[in-house]
Amino acid sequence: MIRFDINQNLKEVFEDGKLPAMVYISRQESTPEKISRPLHSHESICELLLVYKGTGTYQVGTSIYPIEEGCMAYYNQGDLHEIATAEKTNIGHYCIGITNLHLKELKKNQMVPEGGPYIRHAGSLFPFLKMMCDQIYMMEELNPAGQLASQLFCASMVVIASQLDTFPQAMAAETREEEFISRILDYLNEHFTEELNLDKIAEDMHCSATYVSHGLKKATGMTPINYIIRRRIGLAQTMLISTDLTATQIATMVGYDNTNYFSTLFTKTVGMTPIRYRNMYLEKLRGRRDQS
């Protein structure tokens, strides 16, 4: 007879044997109407993403990974991240927001160790994990019993995901150039909602505007101003999802005094107006709104 001590097994996987809690699950359809979610972070949750259709890239901090059907993407609390694609359609994926996660030997709300890798392939487990996501998404809206089942499924997915074989890690080149790029990104991430221009950034970084612009463009594919715009729009998306603030209030909070200009930039970056994005996202969301 096989004896199974669930409490002991929980303690071997989670600190104090406590299960994590699912905050929300969202499903991004693979549709021709592309919807961008620029660089953003969450200060109280981590995320687990399963790609079920399409190809693209997953950026975490300054690391960029290729993704495709069957990939799981991991996001640790507080890290900047973004999924992007050059295809004409969105990357189809499920995104699960999780809190109170404390895996053994990791910090609270960490899915993977600092430095990654942040992508793993589900391999033969992909159909099973896709089915679990389908069920979680459906049951979250049913009743208290369905919500409980979705929470337990989510905890099971975390356990499985934490054990997937990893892709080989790319060696990080510790060069002066990369150290400088990290300094630029740290500066922009701290000040992106403030009034900035290239000359001001260069002055504060004690170098030429050309060096700042070309260096960041080479490393990330974005100029400093493009990066600032994507950080502002990413934050605006989080606020649209998580709060009932008006587009005018949000525009001011992310650094734009002109609401029309903000709306134009948002539409160009995301693919739809701020209010339409809010309505579309909340219609597909399951669970709590808070993504702060």
Side-chain angles (χ1 to χ4, degrees):
M1 179 177 173
I2 300 177
R3 297 186 60 186
F4 179 71
D5 187 340
I6 189 170
N7 290 325
Q8 182 58 38
N9 281 268
L10 283 171
K11 290 179 181 179
E12 290 179 1
V13 177
F14 302 106
E15 288 289 344
D16 301 321
K18 295 181 179 179
L19 291 174
M22 184 182 76
V23 180
Y24 56 81
I25 179 170
S26 64
R27 180 173 63 195
Q28 175 63 68
E29 305 288 354
S30 180
T31 58
E33 185 179 34
K34 290 183 68 174
I35 303 168
S36 177
R37 181 76 164 103
L39 283 165
H40 61 284
S41 63
H42 309 287
E43 298 307 318
S44 61
I45 60 175
C46 53
E47 287 181 331
L48 185 62
L49 294 88
L50 178 67
V51 178
Y52 65 81
K53 190 173 183 180
T55 60
T57 58
Y58 180 55
Q59 180 175 348
V60 181
T62 58
S63 299
I64 301 177
Y65 299 83
I67 55 174
E68 60 183 359
E69 178 181 303
C71 282
M72 297 208 77
Y74 302 75
Y75 160 73
N76 290 337
Q77 174 181 304
D79 288 343
L80 284 171
H81 61 297
E82 175 182 4
I83 285 183
T85 180
E87 293 184 354
K88 294 182 179 179
T89 58
N90 290 307
I91 295 178
H93 68 275
Y94 278 102
C95 176
I96 303 176
I98 302 163
T99 192
N100 297 327
L101 172 66
H102 201 169
L103 291 164
K104 283 286 190 179
E105 300 179 0
L106 293 178
K107 295 179 181 178
K108 190 173 180 180
N109 287 337
Q110 274 194 338
M111 292 295 307
V112 292
E114 293 179 9
Y118 295 93
I119 294 290
R120 300 178 186 178
H121 205 287
S124 61
L125 286 174
F126 170 60
F128 175 66
L129 293 172
K130 170 65 164 55
M131 179 274 293
M132 290 183 72
C133 286
D134 292 339
Q135 294 301 313
I136 293 172
Y137 189 78
M138 178 188 70
M139 291 189 297
E140 177 62 25
E141 286 293 284
L142 291 180
N143 50 42
Q147 292 167 1
L148 174 60
S150 66
Q151 290 286 339
L152 295 175
F153 267 152
C154 174
S156 298
M157 282 200 67
V158 169
V159 174
I160 295 170
S162 70
Q163 300 301 313
L164 290 177
D165 291 334
T166 63
F167 284 134
Q169 292 194 43
M171 296 300 291
E174 296 181 355
T175 65
R176 286 187 177 181
E177 183 179 359
E178 290 199 351
E179 290 176 2
F180 179 68
I181 296 303
S182 293
R183 286 179 52 221
I184 294 175
L185 291 173
D186 286 342
Y187 174 88
L188 294 178
N189 289 330
E190 182 177 354
H191 300 285
F192 72 93
T193 60
E194 302 171 12
E195 185 174 348
L196 288 178
N197 56 46
L198 189 55
D199 289 337
K200 168 65 174 172
I201 296 168
E203 179 183 349
D204 289 349
M205 297 300 298
H206 306 292
C207 63
S208 72
T210 300
Y211 187 58
V212 171
S213 183
H214 287 182
L216 192 66
K217 176 75 172 180
K218 179 181 177 181
T220 68
M222 291 177 280
T223 65
I225 302 306
N226 290 149
Y227 186 86
I228 289 169
I229 291 172
R230 295 190 71 78
R231 286 289 283 114
R232 287 179 173 184
I233 299 302
L235 177 57
Q237 285 177 302
T238 299
M239 297 173 75
L240 284 164
I241 293 167
S242 302
T243 75
D244 290 318
L245 293 171
T246 66
T248 299
Q249 291 172 314
I250 291 172
T252 301
M253 294 173 73
V254 301
Y256 296 110
D257 293 331
N258 188 317
T259 305
N260 290 332
Y261 182 60
F262 163 71
S263 183
T264 298
L265 279 179
F266 189 100
T267 303
K268 181 179 179 180
T269 303
V270 178
M272 60 181 63
T273 65
I275 299 307
R276 187 177 172 211
Y277 174 79
R278 169 184 273 166
N279 293 337
M280 179 279 302
Y281 196 94
L282 295 182
E283 181 180 344
K284 295 179 180 294
L285 183 69
R286 301 290 185 269
R288 302 204 307 269
R289 287 181 62 180
D290 185 14
Q291 296 198 14
S292 59

